[in-house]
Amino acid sequence: MTFEELRELDNQYVVQSYGRSPIAIGHGLGSTLCGVDGKEYIDFASGIGVLSVGTANPKWQAAVTEQAGKLGHISNLYYSEPYIRLAEKLCTRSGMAAAFFGNSGAEGNEGVIKLARKYSWEKYGEGRGTIITLNRSFHGRTITTLSATGQDVFHKYFFPFTEGFRRAEPDINSVQQTAGHDVCAVLVELVQGEGGVLPLDPVFVQDLARLCADRDWLFLVDEVQTGIGRTGSLFCFQQYGVQPDAVSFAKGVAGGLPMGGFLVNERCRKVFGPGDHASTFGGNPVSAAAACAVLDILDEEAIARVKEKGQYLRDSIEAMNLPCLGRTRGMGLMIGIEVTEGFSNKKLCAKLNQAGLLSLTAGPGLRLLPPLTITKEEMDKGLAILKATLS
């Protein structure tokens, strides 16, 4: 089917809620994709951070195929091996105690919000359910996670929102001034992705973790985008010297299949009992088998190389001295690029996409989220396209 045929059918039968690029991808391997017209693309977007081990990774593909031939779904009314093995892998490598599996990042964040409120209710009773989030944060597109999101641009049209959220600047004094007797938790992204790839200051994060401990607030970390190796450790919090009470994850965990969820520490292990929280497709055997393969591929050695690859890309981009781009920032292969005054990040991104380099925007800048398994050859091809297109 040609691109024009696909676009016509999309316009006829699909809700037009996405501003799609005029590109249709047919297949790919690793970080190299091929359009339905035969054009090659280097993938610096990985499906918005989802394709953690690239497209059609052989080990991932084998795990999915084998599990699909055994059991596609059974529900959480019964046990199955894949989700249990996955929980063990995640907890062992993160230092957390137990896992809950859902389908998406928003669902993972909804889960930790419910967890914090139930924890507080059982210990302190009614009137202590407010959660502090940070300005420029993004936590999802459900009504509740939009309410938690610290960017007004996402709030248009959808009022009224869920109550119980209050926003602060990423500064310990601002958090203390925002807090009150009704607070039960703080929810943060350690690198604010949609806000512009903005890493939080480590001193602030450590002070915040101590404040939460002192006031018996749950310290919740949203690692939907930063988790599963993206920043150069399995979870970003492992580079900040803190241990959250709960951490959400999604995107790259199953390497392209829908999966999300959260991990809890020992004191929160028993907050949820039977019937308190559930997800029909959570822990799906095929998605869980895919996630197990992802974690096997992204061993400690592979994740350590993520930092090297990220530094190589950042150094190479800054060395180009392109007039439309400023400095880079981020952690590992979560990279933000400043766009200089007078240029539009959306127009630059569109130019790169059309030239054969799939990229993203975030806040006022550009954002790069390549597969964590990207090769140097693929990075160099992408960098060459970027330089030729934006010079």
Side-chain angles (χ1 to χ4, degrees):
M1 195 174 291
T2 67
F3 168 73
E4 290 300 333
E5 290 171 333
L6 285 170
R7 182 161 63 177
E8 184 177 345
L9 288 172
D10 180 274
N11 287 336
Q12 185 174 356
Y13 294 112
V14 179
V15 172
Q16 298 298 297
S17 61
Y18 296 101
R20 302 187 202 273
S21 296
I23 297 168
I25 301 298
H27 63 276
L29 182 64
S31 299
T32 303
L33 306 177
C34 187
V36 295
D37 58 357
K39 182 174 179 176
E40 184 178 282
Y41 296 86
I42 299 299
D43 188 4
F44 274 20
S46 67
I48 317 182
V50 168
L51 297 167
S52 51
V53 296
T55 296
N57 181 286
K59 292 182 180 178
W60 178 91
Q61 199 170 31
V64 170
T65 302
E66 180 182 359
Q67 184 58 48
K70 291 180 179 178
L71 180 69
H73 181 70
I74 190 62
S75 94
N76 288 302
L77 297 176
Y78 312 98
Y79 297 91
S80 68
E81 183 179 345
Y83 81 82
I84 296 172
R85 289 195 293 114
L86 175 58
E88 180 185 24
K89 289 175 183 290
L90 287 169
C91 291
T92 299
R93 291 177 61 177
S94 67
M96 301 297 280
F100 176 91
F101 297 113
N103 309 294
S104 66
E107 192 175 347
N109 285 332
E110 290 264 1
V112 299
I113 289 166
K114 287 178 67 177
L115 180 91
R117 289 178 174 166
K118 185 168 189 282
Y119 171 87
S120 184
W121 181 286
E122 290 186 328
K123 198 166 182 180
Y124 299 100
E126 191 175 356
R128 196 178 184 269
T130 297
I131 294 172
I132 296 174
T133 63
L134 300 181
N135 288 324
R136 293 170 292 280
S137 63
F138 181 84
H139 298 293
R141 291 186 180 271
T142 65
I143 289 296
T144 293
T145 55
L146 271 178
S147 184
T149 291
Q151 297 186 65
D152 291 336
V153 67
F154 292 105
H155 295 163
K156 294 183 296 184
Y157 316 123
F158 305 116
F159 298 94
F161 286 106
T162 307
E163 297 179 351
F165 296 95
R166 202 173 295 142
R167 284 153 56 175
E169 287 294 323
D171 171 86
I172 199 65
N173 292 326
S174 178
V175 172
Q176 289 174 321
Q177 290 168 8
T178 301
H181 69 279
D182 58 341
V183 172
C184 68
V186 175
L187 173 63
V188 300
E189 300 168 280
L190 298 177
V191 182
Q192 295 180 322
E194 296 292 337
V197 190
L198 306 170
L200 298 185
D201 177 60
V203 174
F204 162 67
V205 172
Q206 291 164 13
D207 287 345
L208 184 59
R210 282 191 290 268
L211 180 65
C212 288
D214 290 344
R215 300 197 182 184
D216 199 21
W217 302 339
L218 290 196
F219 180 43
L220 311 175
V221 177
D222 174 348
E223 295 237 23
V224 169
Q225 192 167 149
T226 56
I228 319 299
R230 174 59 55 187
T231 64
S233 54
L234 185 65
F235 286 100
C236 189
F237 73 76
Q238 293 169 305
Q239 297 183 61
Y240 274 81
V242 295
Q243 192 76 12
D245 293 297
V247 54
S248 59
F249 60 86
K251 287 195 180 288
V253 67
L257 293 184
M259 175 169 270
F262 57 88
L263 303 174
V264 297
N265 65 3
E266 193 61 46
R267 76 165 170 160
C268 292
R269 174 198 288 273
K270 296 183 179 179
V271 171
F272 282 154
D276 283 333
H277 197 49
S279 176
T280 297
F281 292 100
N284 170 268
V286 179
S287 293
C292 284
V294 166
L295 291 177
D296 289 343
I297 296 164
L298 297 178
D299 57 17
E300 296 304 318
E301 183 179 347
I303 290 179
R305 289 196 293 271
V306 168
K307 288 185 179 180
E308 298 172 10
K309 293 175 182 180
Q311 196 60 54
Y312 177 73
L313 287 175
R314 292 178 62 183
D315 290 345
S316 299
I317 292 166
E318 292 194 2
M320 293 177 189
N321 291 316
L322 297 174
C324 57
L325 301 183
R327 296 189 61 81
T328 64
R329 58 175 172 261
M331 294 176 67
L333 284 171
M334 187 174 180
I335 299 170
I337 311 172
E338 293 177 357
V339 171
T340 54
E341 189 174 352
F343 292 91
S344 161
N345 64 337
K346 292 182 179 179
K347 289 182 179 179
L348 295 180
C349 184
K351 284 179 178 289
L352 291 173
N353 288 340
Q354 286 300 304
L357 178 65
L358 300 188
S359 55
L360 302 160
T361 61
L366 293 175
R367 174 175 40 160
L368 306 180
L369 301 172
L372 308 184
T373 52
I374 191 168
T375 65
K376 184 170 184 299
E377 180 184 8
E378 289 169 325
M379 287 192 288
D380 286 341
K381 283 185 179 179
L383 289 167
I385 295 170
L386 189 148
K387 185 175 182 179
T389 305
L390 301 187
S391 287

